[in-house]
Amino acid sequence: MPKTSVIPTGSGAPLAPFVPGSQADNILYVSGTLPFDKDNNVVYVGDAAAQTRHVLELIQSVIETAGGSMNDVTFNSIFLRNWEDYAAINAVYAEFFPGEKPARYCIQCGLVKSDALIEIASIAHLPH
């Protein structure tokens, strides 16, 4: 089964050897996405809600580049630095998934940069 890299226009170079998305047939795997700008600097330091919005917008751009929408997301892996941010993260998350929700899990852990409060990886089943 061939796979295709999915890289939205304007994406910065990743910190490690990976691409923003990888598509095989109609399944799109979106890499763990952190609240980084195109130069890999953490944005909205200290603001979990703003970081979550930024991360989900980046994920949305990968999915749309592949021809899908956030409605196609079937699973999310959520990594957060502090449980204290859980409510703020969920409030923004609910805006991006207003209808039927994808399956997910959420764990607390350290992230690659100390100012990053959230990381999300997604799986989407695209319509084509």
Side-chain angles (χ1 to χ4, degrees):
M1 163 181 6
K3 66 179 179 178
T4 303
S5 295
V6 179
I7 305 169
T9 303
S11 294
L15 288 175
F18 68 90
V19 293
S22 183
Q23 184 175 349
D25 292 329
N26 71 325
I27 301 173
L28 175 64
Y29 301 91
V30 181
S31 293
T33 305
L34 290 142
F36 291 169
D37 63 16
K38 65 179 181 131
D39 298 316
N40 293 315
N41 297 308
V42 175
V43 297
Y44 309 111
V45 173
D47 187 337
Q51 285 191 8
T52 301
R53 182 173 312 286
H54 185 80
V55 164
L56 289 168
E57 287 170 349
L58 291 172
I59 290 169
Q60 185 173 22
S61 73
V62 174
I63 293 169
E64 289 176 352
T65 297
S69 74
M70 294 299 272
N71 290 331
D72 299 319
V73 175
T74 57
F75 191 82
N76 287 308
S77 303
I78 303 170
F79 308 92
L80 56 88
R81 235 178 117 216
N82 300 305
W83 284 119
E84 295 81 23
D85 295 328
Y86 190 69
I89 288 166
N90 277 325
V92 174
Y93 182 92
E95 294 174 22
F96 283 80
F97 301 103
E100 191 170 336
K101 312 292 185 241
R104 74 178 210 184
Y105 66 80
C106 183
I107 62 170
Q108 180 182 10
C109 62
L111 298 172
V112 70
K113 288 193 177 184
S114 61
D115 287 335
L117 302 175
I118 180 93
E119 179 174 354
I120 301 174
S122 301
I123 300 172
H125 288 252
L126 305 176
H128 48 69

